[in-house]
Amino acid sequence: MAHLPSLLCIVFLVGTVLSQDMPYEEYLAQLQACPKQCRCPPNFPRAVYCDNKGLKSIPQIPPHTWYLYLQRNQIEVLSADALRNATSLRWLNLNRNKITSEGVEAEALSGMSHLAHLYMDDNLLSSVPSPLPPGLEQLRLARNRISKIPAGVFVGVDKLNLLDLQGNKLMDDAVTEVNLKGLSSLVQINLAKNQLSRMPLGLPSTTAQLFLDGNNIARIPAGYFKGLPKVAFLRLNNNKLSSNGIPKNVFNVSSILDLQLSHNQLTEVPVISSGLEHLHLDHNNIKAVVGSNVCPVSIDTLDDSVNESVPRLRYLRLDGNEIKPPIPRDVVLCFRLLTSIFI
């Protein structure tokens, strides 16, 4: 009877494994092949935890691993040999290591046909790794030293929906239609805190979230967003935008729901669409807000009811400008759905 709890525990774990479609033989082999430097939870046998272990190289990874955590180590080389048997990987976290582009071995990633999430933030990469796994859905490469996106690197990677390149050294000539070719499913791209001086070219039409904070962008080409019919979240905080660099109707786009232009050099509120819900204009040089200029519909056509014709703006930041309260009455009449406003 003393062994009954242990026996019940084993039966429970085996049942859990079988419910995850992992044969018992694979379960045993997986646990037996667990690297001594790592942790392989019996109740989560497809995960291997090697994070924060002071590793300088990747140990041999068991063949039935789906989730591999190697973040916060001293790894310099992404070794093809160490990952040779790990062809079932879905999730690979290599954040906060010392991997260089030269240290990414040619066959280390290309054979991982099931890999969907690759995290390599805070390494020493100078280029986007190539070749990439064909089934990749999320690629996070923030805070490296990337100045190059190899031409064609995303061709064949047509499931990628999130690309995070913030905090690198990308310049305008690195972000072009040639470099981004193949991103047919992209939803979010983060190019914040790079060295861009103009709006990036060649973004796929599927882009819904575009983050460009902390660059040197001074103007936006007229009609720029005609090629981005699904863009809903647009961040351009901490750039060099002036009102002269913003064509009159460039932001008057029905798809945009959240527009962030904080910490720029604007002197006027830009024209917006009636569907915009969040507008960040804090810390610019705006001196006044005139309802007839900023309201996306004619105030004279608005009655006392709340209907589909009423602008949808709910959140407005104007603090850090030269505007003195109170907000003019015609602005309040226009944006009657406002629940938060900062002056």
Side-chain angles (χ1 to χ4, degrees):
M1 293 296 291
H3 298 291
L4 184 59
S6 298
L7 180 62
L8 291 174
C9 182
I10 292 173
V11 170
F12 174 76
L13 289 176
V14 171
T16 301
V17 172
L18 293 177
S19 71
Q20 295 175 354
D21 297 325
M22 188 176 191
Y24 183 60
E25 293 78 10
E26 290 185 7
Y27 171 75
L28 289 180
Q30 180 75 357
L31 295 185
Q32 289 171 356
C34 183
K36 63 180 181 180
Q37 309 97 316
C38 307
R39 182 171 60 90
C40 304
N43 62 336
F44 195 25
R46 295 194 186 275
V48 177
Y49 292 87
C50 309
D51 52 304
N52 202 24
K53 300 293 184 181
L55 300 178
K56 294 187 177 181
S57 61
I58 300 175
Q60 290 290 326
I61 302 303
H64 307 297
T65 305
W66 284 11
Y67 309 96
L68 177 56
Y69 300 91
L70 288 159
Q71 66 269 29
R72 296 192 299 275
N73 282 293
Q74 305 294 318
I75 297 168
E76 297 181 1
V77 175
L78 182 51
S79 166
D81 183 63
L83 298 172
R84 194 171 305 282
N85 294 325
T87 55
S88 297
L89 274 180
R90 268 69 166 171
W91 187 300
L92 176 56
N93 191 328
L94 286 158
N95 291 345
R96 297 189 182 184
N97 277 283
K98 296 183 177 180
I99 301 171
T100 63
S101 289
E102 294 73 21
V104 179
E105 295 184 358
E107 298 177 1
L109 297 171
S110 59
M112 297 183 189
S113 58
H114 299 287
L115 191 67
H117 297 257
L118 176 58
Y119 299 166
M120 296 185 72
D121 295 341
D122 299 288
N123 276 277
L124 304 174
L125 300 173
S126 57
S127 176
V128 173
S130 176
L132 290 168
L136 205 59
E137 296 176 12
Q138 293 192 9
L139 177 59
R140 298 179 183 268
L141 302 170
R143 296 174 301 278
N144 277 272
R145 302 173 180 177
I146 296 173
S147 60
K148 180 181 179 183
I149 302 176
V153 68
F154 299 117
V155 173
V157 192
D158 52 12
K159 294 181 180 179
L160 194 70
N161 59 66
L162 184 150
L163 177 59
D164 188 350
L165 288 163
Q166 67 171 309
N168 280 285
K169 297 184 177 182
L170 292 168
M171 301 182 74
D172 297 326
D173 59 357
V175 188
T176 67
E177 187 172 1
V178 172
N179 304 94
L180 300 180
K181 185 178 181 181
L183 293 173
S184 57
S185 299
L186 194 70
V187 174
Q188 181 187 120
I189 183 166
N190 192 338
L191 294 166
K193 297 181 181 179
N194 276 279
Q195 298 173 16
L196 303 177
S197 61
R198 65 174 184 234
M199 298 294 288
L201 303 175
L203 295 178
S205 60
T206 53
T207 303
Q209 301 176 32
L210 175 57
F211 304 147
L212 293 165
D213 313 75
N215 281 284
N216 299 307
I217 298 170
R219 63 186 317 275
I220 300 175
Y224 179 83
F225 297 105
K226 289 182 179 179
L228 298 172
K230 296 183 178 181
V231 65
F233 300 90
L234 177 61
R235 293 198 333 219
L236 280 157
N237 304 318
N238 291 285
N239 275 280
K240 297 181 178 179
L241 288 167
S242 66
S243 292
N244 290 335
I246 297 179
K248 183 176 180 180
N249 285 299
V250 74
F251 294 130
N252 190 5
V253 178
S254 61
S255 63
I256 299 179
L257 302 176
D258 190 296
L259 176 59
Q260 300 190 21
L261 298 167
S262 305
H263 294 273
N264 277 282
Q265 301 165 18
L266 304 180
T267 54
E268 300 175 359
V269 176
V271 176
I272 60 174
S273 77
S274 60
L276 189 70
E277 296 182 1
H278 294 80
L279 179 59
H280 298 244
L281 293 169
D282 54 287
H283 298 91
N284 278 278
N285 300 319
I286 301 170
K287 295 182 179 180
V289 182
V290 180
S292 58
N293 294 337
V294 302
C295 191
V297 299
S298 174
I299 296 177
D300 296 335
T301 64
L302 295 173
D303 54 31
D304 293 332
S305 64
V306 176
N307 52 50
E308 291 300 316
S309 67
V310 173
R312 314 312 293 178
L313 195 67
R314 290 171 166 80
Y315 182 95
L316 175 61
R317 282 197 63 176
L318 290 164
D319 49 305
N321 283 282
E322 300 177 32
I323 302 168
K324 295 181 180 179
I327 288 292
R329 182 174 180 273
D330 54 358
V331 174
V332 177
L333 287 174
C334 173
F335 300 114
R336 59 188 61 179
L337 296 180
L338 271 174
T339 58
S340 299
I341 182 169
F342 301 87
I343 304 177

